[in-house]
Amino acid sequence: MPLQSNTERNGAVFVLRTGPVQNAEIELDGWTVRVTRGVSAVVAYGSAGQSFNETYDAALTAANRGLDYMSARGLCDVAIRDAQDDCLVWWSDDAGVVVRANAVSTTLSHSSATVVVKDAAGNVVPPNLPSATKHDAFRFIRMSRTSEYLFDSYRNMFLAFEALLSDIRPRQTTAKGRYEGEGVWFKAALGVADTLVPVASLAPKGEASPVDWVYTNMYGDARSGLMHAKQGQPYHLPQDEQSRHQLQESLNNLWLYVSQLIEKHLGVGHMSGGLMLGGFQMLAETVLSEMIAAVSADTTPANPQDELFAPTGGAVVELASGPVEMTEPFLGTVLASCDTAELAALPVIGRIGSMDKAGNALFLSALPGLLELGDLATRFEIMLGFRAVNAAGPRTHFSA
């Protein structure tokens, strides 16, 4: 798949959940978007700025718009996954074309402890475990916490919230036999919930009227923005970066409130525990500082069971790594680079990722296929990342 034309010097490759059923290519807003049958990747190239971030943002927008059009035409129905974690981005600077591959590994963190209670005689006291119970809110919570799509997760979490509120304070009927207005009920139910768990925890600190803030921002903007898409009125578009950050923060707060409300109203407590931020920072420093960013001419498909970075003995080139940085609270990264002249010994790049000093593979980029760099590329970079997700905490990572 060609990565650029003779004129454009910006572009990206993003990984798809599945490969398309046929080849397709479209041009839109000065960008070319291309997919190839059976290849789980989309290529987008055009003109953007002179940095990774500018190119990444423009290319991701172009790729999604192009895939939107292809789906509407019936050409293919595919979706990008882990755009920030697994991508190849290139842009021009004063020295030439820079090519960067992002390779971020996500691990699930979980902690548990066993407590033994004994009486005065030293006999073990059996634990008094709560009886299992059922509630429709639990189904919505499970769907929310297992979804890989942020929008679906938020919708289901809000439905869990709504199911609890309607249980705590059912929607009333008027004298005419009709249900009271949705807004009237929601605010009234929030008022009752506030007596169990303060609604102020959902609103910004110091907010004069938390109930009104939640109604306007969580019910009105977040929830309604996911259920409506009227032109001229605000709504949330999937895979839009601004919406993602806004909804992620709102979802975290909503989950913490819902879990507390369930414990107060239904007596079902959610287990907590996991890796603390300080502990993660030390772990990330250790893990990333011991990684060697590398590329290999090994052309065998990446396999999670591979022990060696180059199992068939293909040539390996190591990249010089910079310092470890905390890009996000639970995401550590390190940027490694080399001049493309150092890659001259590689006829093709078959593997991108990291290894240890013994040449054992640590993790590999999910980008499919082989990569050939042309003469225009002057520098090659790998952004290695290590992310931890607390299994019992709020959802902090979604593939889409």
Side-chain angles (χ1 to χ4, degrees):
M1 302 172 67
L3 299 185
Q4 62 182 28
S5 67
N6 294 326
T7 56
E8 285 83 6
R9 294 290 181 267
N10 299 79
V13 179
F14 299 104
V15 179
L16 299 174
R17 292 182 177 276
T18 57
V21 296
Q22 63 178 322
N23 298 348
E25 178 180 319
I26 65 105
E27 294 185 10
L28 183 65
D29 295 334
W31 283 75
T32 299
V33 180
R34 179 185 295 114
V35 295
T36 299
R37 178 181 178 181
V39 179
S40 299
V42 55
V43 173
Y45 59 81
S47 297
Q50 291 187 319
S51 70
F52 171 86
N53 288 334
E54 289 176 309
T55 303
Y56 171 87
D57 291 342
L60 181 59
T61 297
N64 273 312
R65 290 298 187 186
L67 295 177
D68 293 345
Y69 180 77
M70 291 179 186
S71 181
R73 281 280 314 277
L75 299 175
C76 63
D77 297 305
V78 292
I80 295 170
R81 68 168 179 85
D82 295 310
Q84 186 76 50
D85 290 359
D86 291 300
C87 62
L88 187 75
V89 179
W90 58 95
W91 66 95
S92 294
D93 62 12
D94 296 336
V97 176
V98 183
V99 182
R100 179 187 297 181
N102 276 14
V104 177
S105 174
T106 299
T107 183
L108 202 60
S109 172
H110 177 70
S111 63
S112 62
T114 301
V115 177
V116 177
V117 179
K118 297 182 179 180
D119 59 22
N123 299 312
V124 175
V125 178
N128 184 21
L129 299 176
S131 299
T133 185
K134 59 184 180 182
H135 197 284
D136 285 350
F138 300 164
R139 179 73 57 82
F140 291 122
I141 288 172
R142 179 165 64 90
M143 294 299 101
S144 173
R145 292 183 60 78
T146 55
S147 175
E148 284 301 318
Y149 292 88
L150 173 59
F151 283 21
D152 287 344
S153 181
Y154 195 99
R155 278 191 291 264
N156 277 299
M157 189 59 71
F158 202 94
L159 289 171
F161 186 35
E162 191 173 73
L164 288 168
L165 291 179
S166 64
D167 197 19
I168 293 169
R169 198 280 193 181
R171 197 173 176 187
Q172 307 295 310
T173 55
T174 65
K176 295 182 179 181
R178 298 177 180 177
Y179 279 122
E180 61 186 330
E182 183 77 13
V184 173
W185 165 77
F186 187 76
K187 289 185 177 181
L190 278 180
V192 177
D194 186 58
T195 64
L196 298 174
V197 180
V199 176
S201 63
L202 286 171
K205 187 176 181 180
E207 178 64 38
S209 178
V211 169
D212 288 336
W213 188 93
V214 171
Y215 177 73
T216 300
N217 293 276
M218 299 188 77
Y219 179 87
D221 178 63
R223 177 263 191 191
S224 295
L226 292 174
M227 299 300 295
H228 303 281
K230 300 179 181 66
Q231 297 299 311
Q233 298 181 26
Y235 58 87
H236 298 287
L237 190 66
Q239 295 197 338
D240 175 74
E241 289 296 295
Q242 183 176 356
S243 290
R244 181 177 70 85
H245 291 296
Q246 177 185 353
L247 287 173
Q248 179 71 72
E249 182 178 358
S250 183
L251 175 60
N252 291 350
N253 293 335
L254 183 58
W255 160 241
L256 292 173
Y257 187 85
V258 166
S259 62
Q260 293 177 56
L261 194 59
I262 287 176
E263 185 169 8
K264 289 291 185 181
H265 179 55
L266 300 175
V268 179
H270 189 272
M271 296 178 64
S272 61
L275 191 61
M276 302 298 290
L277 181 57
F280 170 76
Q281 291 178 348
M282 290 189 291
L283 178 62
E285 282 278 354
T286 301
V287 170
L288 290 171
S289 62
E290 293 179 355
M291 286 184 178
I292 300 173
V295 294
S296 171
D298 197 308
T299 58
T300 56
N303 187 328
Q305 305 303 318
D306 287 343
E307 293 185 1
L308 296 176
F309 188 78
T312 62
V316 176
V317 175
E318 300 179 8
L319 282 67
S321 297
V324 176
E325 298 182 0
M326 295 302 299
T327 311
E328 296 175 7
F330 283 89
L331 172 62
T333 60
V334 61
L335 181 62
S337 65
C338 72
D339 293 335
T340 53
E342 300 177 50
L343 305 178
L346 306 183
V348 66
I349 295 177
R351 293 188 170 199
I352 302 171
S354 65
M355 63 182 187
D356 61 19
K357 295 179 180 179
N360 297 310
L362 297 178
F363 64 88
L364 301 172
S365 167
L367 293 168
L370 310 177
L371 173 66
E372 295 181 15
L373 294 177
D375 296 335
L376 292 175
T378 58
R379 189 167 80 252
F380 188 79
E381 300 179 344
I382 302 176
M383 176 68 81
L384 296 175
F386 176 67
R387 177 191 291 109
V389 175
N390 282 324
R395 286 292 303 273
T396 56
H397 178 65
F398 295 88
S399 64

